[in-house]
């Protein structure tokens, strides 16, 4: 496959998932060149620009590209790599995670406590302006744990449809409504703990209401925060590029009233008001666990994710440090 490139070489890792005909997930690319650090970084940026159509076709077909073994050391190096792709930045308006700008278009990935798991999700499925591509960068390799599992979304859809055809038919017909209680200020203890002032980049309630409305979200003010209601939004998405249906929603585990996974006050219902059945969600969790690829982070890794076709999550960190940065693209 990687023979299509003058610069990149595809390598195999034992943790990749294998799907017939030698298709491995994710794609792992390294450099054919052996030269000095500066030259490789420069050459990487040049190769990204020159071979962008080939890289994009890989991303389309395989979902995720992991660039490994390149001298991407600092957040600025990562910023240069992202810039080389030339995609417009997706601004994080309506997003739920606490994130801080590091440099340029590079942000911390999610500042919630690293010993807590983040369930599988496509980035920002709960608003209309979700990013189509994500970049992650490993600045500090985790001591132990803290991986970012990834899974092909169409496989989750197909398996769920086989196992729960009636529920999936309802999902396709009615979509989902997301209700999320948001406090005034950021709560760093939660992975969805961004306060509404940060979510909508204002402390003016009227401005927040206008910005929320543009995202298809209604706000109901409460004493110390606001209830945000979005939907019904489609829960299954037709991906034109791959010609497949994807599990494009936040239903990736027990959702209703399970404080282990979702915060209290946050829930997801079918668009017709019906409750999402827990047995289907348990099966969904199992499918995600079975089908995901977990590649332990190595310092300098850059992971390029098609947010339209791949779900990602975060495993609890067992031993610090860990610093993963991210950049979102339209
Ligand atoms: Fe995420």
């Amino acid at each position: 496959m990687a023979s299509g490139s003058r610069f990149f070489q595809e390598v195999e890792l034992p943790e990749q998932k294998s799907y017939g005909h030698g298709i491995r997930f994710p794609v792992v690319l390294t450099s054919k060149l052996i030269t000095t650090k500066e030259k490789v970084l420069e050459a990487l940026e040049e190769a990204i620009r020159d071979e962008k159509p080939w890289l994009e076709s890989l991303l389309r077909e395989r979902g995720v590209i992991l660039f490994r073994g390149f001298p991407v050391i600092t957040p600025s190096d990562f910023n240069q790599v992202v810039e080389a792709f030339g995609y417009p930045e997706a601004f994080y308006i309506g997003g739920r995670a606490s994130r801080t700008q590091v440099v340029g278009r590079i942000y911390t990935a999610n500042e919630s406590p690293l010993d807590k798991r983040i369930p599988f999700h496509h980035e920002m499925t709960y608003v209309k302006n979700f990013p189509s591509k994500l970049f992650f960068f490993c600045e500090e390799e985790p001591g132990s744990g803290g991986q970012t599992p990834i899974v092909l979304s169409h496989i989750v859809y197909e398996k769920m449809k086989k196992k729960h055809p009636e529920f999936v038919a309802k999902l396709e017909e009615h979509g989902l409504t997301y209700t999320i209680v948001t406090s005034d200020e950021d709560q760093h203890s939660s992975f969805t703990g961004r306060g509404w002032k940060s979510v909508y980049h204002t402390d003016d309630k009227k401005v927040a209401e206008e910005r929320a409305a543009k995202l298809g979200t209604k706000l109901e003010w409460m004493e110390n925060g606001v209830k945000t209601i979005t939907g019904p939004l489609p829960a299954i998405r037709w991906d034109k590029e791959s010609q497949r249906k994807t599990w494009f929603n936040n239903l990736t585990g027990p959702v209703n009233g399970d404080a282990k996974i979702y915060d209290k006050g946050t829930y997801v219902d079918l668009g017709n008001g019906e409750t999402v059945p827990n047995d289907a969600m348990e099966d969904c969790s199992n499918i995600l666990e079975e089908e995901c690829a977990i590649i332990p982070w190595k310092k300098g890794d850059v992971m390029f994710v098609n947010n339209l076709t791949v779900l990602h999550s975060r495993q609890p960190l067992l031993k610090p440090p860990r610093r993963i940065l991210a950049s979102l693209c339209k």
Side-chain angles (χ1 to χ4, degrees):
M1 180 56 93
S3 58
S5 169
R6 281 183 296 116
F7 179 78
F8 296 105
Q9 170 169 301
E10 188 170 349
V11 290
E12 292 186 3
L13 294 178
E15 299 91 356
Q16 281 170 304
K17 279 286 198 198
S18 229
Y19 297 104
H21 313 292
I23 303 287
R24 299 170 76 83
F25 174 75
V27 182
V28 185
L29 295 182
T30 185
S31 168
K32 285 178 178 171
L33 287 181
I34 299 169
T35 176
T36 64
K37 241 166 71 170
E38 292 70 26
K39 280 195 177 149
V40 176
L41 190 61
E42 234 172 71
L44 171 63
E45 289 170 51
E46 207 180 293
I48 289 169
R49 283 189 284 266
D50 289 352
E51 304 192 19
K52 194 172 151 189
W54 176 73
L55 292 168
E56 285 180 328
S57 72
L58 269 188
L59 191 79
R60 221 169 20 244
E61 286 160 26
R62 312 266 293 273
V64 174
I65 303 173
L66 177 67
F67 296 92
R68 174 159 286 182
F70 294 97
V72 186
I73 315 279
T74 65
S76 299
D77 295 342
F78 177 42
N79 193 55
Q80 278 173 239
V81 170
V82 175
E83 294 253 296
F85 278 91
Y87 300 122
E89 184 175 357
F91 294 102
Y92 199 59
I93 296 179
R96 301 279 309 133
S98 292
R99 311 175 71 224
T100 311
Q101 186 183 22
V102 179
V103 62
R105 52 197 292 175
I106 308 307
Y107 288 75
T108 53
N110 188 322
E111 293 171 12
S112 65
L114 289 171
D115 59 344
K116 297 221 172 74
R117 175 180 172 266
I118 298 178
F120 277 101
H121 59 284
H122 289 273
E123 206 61 38
M124 295 169 79
T125 48
Y126 47 83
V127 287
K128 286 185 197 160
N129 62 332
F130 46 81
S132 69
K133 297 173 191 72
L134 320 172
F135 289 91
F136 293 104
F137 164 57
C138 177
E139 188 185 6
E140 264 187 301
E141 195 173 306
S144 168
Q147 299 93 337
T148 301
I150 41 176
V151 63
L152 289 165
S153 193
H154 73 275
I155 293 180
V156 182
Y157 167 76
E158 283 159 15
K159 290 204 155 186
M160 281 299 285
K161 194 174 177 185
K162 210 173 255 178
K163 196 134 201 181
H164 294 277
E166 280 174 33
F167 168 60
V168 173
K170 277 187 190 173
L171 262 186
E172 298 203 43
E173 186 182 348
H174 302 297
L176 290 166
T177 300
Y178 297 88
T179 303
I180 303 170
V181 173
T182 304
S183 53
D184 293 331
E185 310 298 336
D186 292 355
Q187 312 273 323
H188 291 279
S189 60
S190 163
F191 66 86
T192 56
R194 245 174 155 217
W196 66 264
K197 294 177 187 175
S198 300
V199 171
Y200 299 112
H201 300 250
T202 180
D203 52 12
D204 183 321
K205 289 185 175 177
K206 279 273 161 291
V207 175
E209 280 173 15
E210 282 163 22
R211 290 186 180 162
K214 276 192 195 145
L215 302 170
T217 301
K218 210 174 80 196
L219 303 187
E220 284 179 11
W221 296 101
M222 300 159 60
E223 204 174 321
N224 295 312
V226 65
K227 188 187 263 193
T228 69
I229 303 157
T230 311
L233 289 177
I236 307 297
R237 186 179 172 275
W238 172 250
D239 184 58
K240 268 190 249 157
E241 284 192 338
S242 62
Q243 295 280 300
R244 284 169 174 154
K245 285 186 178 178
T246 57
W247 190 252
F248 202 76
N249 58 62
N250 271 24
L251 285 179
T252 55
V255 286
N256 292 307
D258 190 324
K260 278 186 301 196
I261 301 212
Y262 275 76
D263 298 343
K264 284 202 178 92
T266 292
Y267 52 91
V268 188
D269 282 328
L270 282 160
N272 64 352
E274 274 182 56
T275 303
V276 174
N278 267 330
D279 62 331
M281 287 305 91
E282 272 161 34
D283 287 331
C284 184
S285 290
N286 293 336
I287 291 167
L288 287 159
E289 295 308 320
E290 279 161 28
E291 294 297 332
C292 71
I294 306 174
I295 313 279
W297 283 112
K298 289 262 179 246
K299 188 174 168 57
D301 278 352
V302 172
M303 192 159 81
F304 182 22
V305 177
N306 184 343
N307 189 44
L308 305 178
T309 59
V310 172
L311 298 131
H312 63 279
S313 66
R314 185 184 78 191
Q315 291 202 322
L317 182 67
L318 305 174
K319 198 167 143 226
R322 177 194 192 265
R323 189 162 154 95
I324 305 295
L325 304 179
S327 187
L328 314 180
C329 304
K330 279 186 187 160

